[in-house]
Amino acid sequence: MKNFLKFIAVLFICMYVWQLMIAPDFHVVIDNQHAYSESIWFQALLAPIVALVSVVILFVLFSIFGALLVSMVVLGGVLLFVGLSIFWPTVIALVVCYWLFSDRKQNHANDY
């Protein structure tokens, strides 16, 4: 955070020095022929409406991303649970089958 504040301070100082060194010489001409509308209400409400639409679009995109992320987590949990619930009984069944079908006496008889 300190580095960020230092960066902002240096940037502010650079901008201030730049504004002091450069004195632009231009004339402002206001021409309403190319404006969107002659209505001052339309021009006053244009920026808040654009900001509101931008926020709504971001909200919808993040909502969709969040829903996909939560769905993937739930799906991963379900697959993990199903995988574990199938894996352990299979391992136990294999151990029991090996125990049932392996003959210790035969191995013991082969030693003689």
Side-chain angles (χ1 to χ4, degrees):
M1 187 68 176
K2 250 194 241 185
N3 290 334
F4 180 70
L5 292 176
K6 287 179 187 177
F7 173 74
I8 295 295
V10 168
L11 187 64
F12 179 75
I13 291 170
C14 289
M15 286 187 339
Y16 186 71
V17 169
W18 180 266
Q19 290 295 326
L20 288 178
M21 294 176 71
I22 296 176
D25 186 20
F26 59 87
H27 299 282
V28 177
V29 177
I30 298 174
D31 185 12
N32 285 335
Q33 290 180 358
H34 301 293
Y36 294 110
S37 173
E38 296 296 326
S39 171
I40 193 165
W41 293 107
F42 178 77
Q43 293 177 3
L45 293 176
L46 185 63
I49 289 173
V50 169
L52 181 65
V53 169
S54 302
V55 167
V56 168
I57 289 172
L58 285 175
F59 181 74
V60 168
L61 288 177
F62 283 131
S63 297
I64 292 171
F65 178 71
L68 289 175
L69 186 64
V70 168
S71 299
M72 288 191 307
V73 167
V74 169
L75 179 66
V78 168
L79 289 177
L80 180 66
F81 177 74
V82 169
L84 288 178
S85 64
I86 290 173
F87 176 73
W88 290 112
T90 305
V91 169
I92 292 172
L94 288 174
V95 168
V96 168
C97 288
Y98 176 76
W99 178 67
L100 287 175
F101 293 111
S102 66
D103 191 12
R104 285 189 178 185
K105 293 180 183 178
Q106 183 182 2
N107 292 337
H108 186 56
N110 287 337
D111 289 338
Y112 290 108

